[in-house]
Amino acid sequence: MSATALTWRRPVTVHRANGPHAALCGDCGARHSGLCDALTDEDLAFLARMAQPMTVAAGQLLIEEGAPAGHFYNINHGHMRLFKALPDGRRQITGFAAAGHFLGLASDHVYAISAEAMDDVTVCRFARAQLHTAFETFPALERKLLEVAMHELSFAQEQFLLLGRKTARERVTSFLLNWAAREADCATAPAPGTRLRLLPTRTDVADYLGLTIETVSRTLTALKRDGLIDLPDQHEIVLRHPAALKEIAQAV
Amino acid sequence: MSATALTWRRPVTVHRANGPHAALCGDCGARHSGLCDALTDEDLAFLARMAQPMTVAAGQLLIEEGAPAGHFYNINHGHMRLFKALPDGRRQITGFAAAGHFLGLASDHVYAISAEAMDDVTVCRFARAQLHTAFETFPALERKLLEVAMHELSFAQEQFLLLGRKTARERVTSFLLNWAAREADCATAPAPGTRLRLLPTRTDVADYLGLTIETVSRTLTALKRDGLIDLPDQHEIVLRHPAALKEIAQAV
DNA sequence: CGTGACATTGACTAGTATCAACCAAAGTGG
DNA sequence: CCACTTTGGTTGATACTAGTCAATGTCACG
């Protein structure tokens, strides 16, 4: 566990327990997404007092699979990769988490996955015991969490189909369309020419799709050759023909 | 939607609204598992009055992916395969459900997966609106459902690793050990000589593991040849050397 | 006994992985 | 400022796992 690598930042606002809640959550990237969106400003201000703000530098582990699940986290800013690994190093990324994403809820008392920062990340940390209290005080929180869990479950089922039955080409296009939907924060089809800012590296994409980096690279090149996408630079992708991509992706 | 194929059975006990709850749930295979386990006999008796008991014959669809999610179901007896399919027929089984399993909760208002009976199944059916009421009346139900959802999510993450990164041999052994744990209803390692009754066909197993039936068959034959399992008949598997199987499966 | 569903086995193929070379951009230190 | 290293990406040649196609086997059932 690389807890020692984490830098701690305890802003003065934390100590102003009776100060305006805006100082706590008003400028948070997660204020209107995830669990925080389920609460009123007052309730959130109350809840924020039990949160420990902290930062995680790019590349650092926040959560390690198998470690005792003592804390929960809510991402305020930045992005994380969530993954499981086999003893021999094979890795499967189970998802990418952004602001508003709630991390660390394990059915067991041990984390089921690892979480690593892809860029500089800030989170709110809660002790396991505190969450239980929060549920008692704010039932809306539990309801929202159930809603989020159901949503993640149906996404997981879609991902089963991708990992178990789709070809490399189908996987990559499914991923691009999913990423576009995530960036646009909506489910409507992206317009032709939509520009994606792709934070994950080719390795990340490969480990997410159950492929190798070479196959991801070749597939992107092939999609470009076919006029379906453009690759202005390594981390940008332009969707030239989203309708055709959707066709290839087999919905999703 | 093959709702017409479903046979309806409304036992007299349903109408005995004030009768002993034992008549309703006492002999149900799900009484002490899943959501029902979270409630007292009295609460369950109350809840049972809003349930419509029904039966689904082997091979029939209870839920169809994409259909309006008007009802929820709780399995009382029997087993179902849950799956998603692509337009061209490729199928991914997302799980196998037995007594106590809760079905049909969609984040959207449309079912995310299909559910088909593997043998003769009986379920309790609830209307979508009723479930909301039930949550208000029995908060324990919602808490239990969240617990179940979290558990399914961490299982899903394990399955991502299997589908994305494991070899055929690793997938099949992982499946055997999982099935053993499910039959024993516990997580302890199975004893050498443990006999599995495998309800799913080779096609089911293949569609669950992201393989073809031929690969599943060959892999089982290879495991038998290596002295790790025995195949007394098509639907029975004896775990000769569970420790070695666990080694191959890479934990799980 | 014939039929159909499911399973096994074999021969061959295809899609991805593996191995390896090369490229580009960004950072590092003399 | 420029050689050097590091990191991430692309491309090519080859290998190998699992898929495809096809024949055969087994069992239950009418």
Side-chain angles (χ1 to χ4, degrees):
Chain A
M1 182 75 161
S2 57
T4 52
L6 302 172
T7 52
W8 287 74
R9 189 196 52 151
R10 181 180 281 280
V12 287
T13 46
V14 168
H15 300 293
R16 290 200 273 125
N18 293 316
H21 55 259
L24 281 161
C25 297
D27 62 344
C28 172
R31 173 63 188 94
H32 295 293
S33 60
L35 298 186
C36 299
D37 194 37
L39 295 179
T40 64
D41 281 345
E42 296 90 66
D43 287 352
L44 201 55
F46 182 87
L47 199 62
R49 280 184 215 116
M50 29 200 256
Q52 280 183 302
M54 44 189 294
T55 67
V56 193
Q60 297 297 337
L61 267 190
L62 174 64
I63 290 176
E64 189 175 37
E65 180 186 349
H71 295 91
F72 307 108
Y73 305 88
N74 202 52
I75 300 183
N76 299 335
H77 302 278
H79 302 79
M80 309 200 82
R81 58 176 74 91
L82 315 178
F83 62 94
K84 287 181 83 84
L86 288 170
D88 62 10
R90 279 175 286 173
R91 186 178 74 155
Q92 177 66 40
I93 291 187
T94 61
F96 300 103
H101 198 108
F102 192 68
L103 293 175
L105 244 189
S107 61
D108 208 351
H109 284 216
V110 153
Y111 294 121
I113 55 170
S114 301
E116 189 178 274
M118 299 203 290
D119 48 12
D120 288 347
V121 168
T122 66
V123 298
C124 279
R125 184 172 100 150
F126 302 87
R128 193 183 175 80
Q130 286 175 324
L131 191 83
H132 199 267
T133 311
F135 280 171
E136 305 278 314
T137 320
F138 309 112
L141 213 58
E142 191 167 10
R143 196 161 313 129
K144 182 70 179 183
L145 193 56
L146 181 58
E147 189 190 302
V148 169
M150 294 326 286
H151 194 267
E152 291 201 10
L153 267 180
S154 68
F155 190 86
Q157 287 156 348
E158 196 65 50
Q159 197 73 352
F160 285 158
L161 186 61
L162 183 148
L163 292 171
R165 288 295 179 224
K166 287 189 180 176
T167 65
R169 193 174 168 93
E170 289 164 354
R171 292 183 203 204
V172 171
T173 50
S174 294
F175 170 72
L176 292 181
L177 293 174
N178 266 155
W179 197 265
R182 157 193 289 253
E183 278 197 351
D185 205 17
C186 71
T188 65
T194 299
R195 200 179 205 82
L196 305 184
R197 176 86 206 146
L198 213 59
L199 191 57
T201 65
R202 296 290 186 269
T203 306
D204 287 331
V205 176
D207 284 347
Y208 181 63
L209 298 177
L211 301 169
T212 58
I213 55 171
E214 292 94 333
T215 298
V216 170
S217 182
R218 275 189 253 269
T219 305
L220 286 172
T221 305
L223 290 173
K224 179 181 179 180
R225 173 175 40 73
D226 297 347
L228 299 171
I229 62 172
D230 267 350
L231 301 166
D233 83 88
Q234 288 181 178
H235 287 275
E236 282 201 14
I237 296 182
V238 178
L239 307 183
R240 278 264 153 264
H241 199 160
L245 291 171
K246 194 156 191 175
E247 195 82 9
I248 294 169
Q250 306 267 356
V252 177
Chain B
M1 182 75 161
S2 57
T4 52
L6 303 173
T7 54
W8 286 75
R9 190 195 53 152
R10 181 181 281 280
V12 287
T13 46
V14 168
H15 300 293
R16 291 199 275 124
N18 293 315
H21 55 259
L24 280 163
C25 296
D27 63 344
C28 173
R31 173 62 189 95
H32 295 294
S33 61
L35 298 187
C36 298
D37 195 36
L39 295 179
T40 64
D41 281 343
E42 295 90 66
D43 287 353
L44 201 56
F46 181 87
L47 198 63
R49 280 184 215 115
M50 25 201 259
Q52 280 182 302
M54 44 189 294
T55 67
V56 193
Q60 297 296 336
L61 267 190
L62 173 65
I63 291 175
E64 190 175 36
E65 178 186 352
H71 296 90
F72 307 109
Y73 304 87
N74 202 51
I75 300 183
N76 299 335
H77 301 279
H79 302 79
M80 308 200 83
R81 58 177 72 92
L82 315 178
F83 62 93
K84 288 181 81 84
L86 288 170
D88 62 9
R90 278 174 288 173
R91 186 179 74 157
Q92 177 65 40
I93 291 186
T94 60
F96 299 103
H101 199 106
F102 192 69
L103 293 175
L105 245 189
S107 61
D108 207 350
H109 284 217
V110 153
Y111 294 120
I113 55 169
S114 300
E116 190 178 274
M118 294 169 49
D119 48 13
D120 289 346
V121 167
T122 65
V123 298
C124 278
R125 185 172 100 151
F126 302 86
R128 194 182 172 83
Q130 286 176 325
L131 191 84
H132 200 266
T133 312
F135 280 173
E136 304 280 312
T137 319
F138 309 111
L141 213 57
E142 190 167 12
R143 196 160 312 130
K144 181 70 179 184
L145 192 56
L146 180 58
E147 189 190 301
V148 169
M150 295 325 291
H151 194 266
E152 290 200 10
L153 266 180
S154 68
F155 189 85
Q157 287 157 347
E158 194 64 51
Q159 197 73 352
F160 286 158
L161 185 62
L162 182 147
L163 291 171
R165 288 294 179 223
K166 287 189 180 176
T167 65
R169 193 175 169 92
E170 290 164 353
R171 293 183 202 204
V172 171
T173 50
S174 294
F175 170 72
L176 292 180
L177 293 174
N178 266 154
W179 197 266
R182 158 195 288 255
E183 278 198 351
D185 205 16
C186 71
T188 65
T194 299
R195 200 178 205 81
L196 304 185
R197 175 83 206 149
L198 212 59
L199 191 56
T201 65
R202 296 290 185 269
T203 306
D204 286 332
V205 176
D207 284 348
Y208 181 63
L209 298 178
L211 301 170
T212 58
I213 53 170
E214 293 93 334
T215 299
V216 170
S217 183
R218 275 190 256 269
T219 306
L220 286 173
T221 305
L223 290 173
K224 179 182 178 180
R225 173 175 41 70
D226 297 346
L228 299 171
I229 62 172
D230 266 350
L231 301 166
D233 82 88
Q234 288 181 178
H235 287 275
E236 282 201 14
I237 295 182
V238 178
L239 307 184
R240 278 264 154 267
H241 200 161
L245 291 170
K246 193 156 190 173
E247 195 81 9
I248 293 169
Q250 305 266 357
V252 177

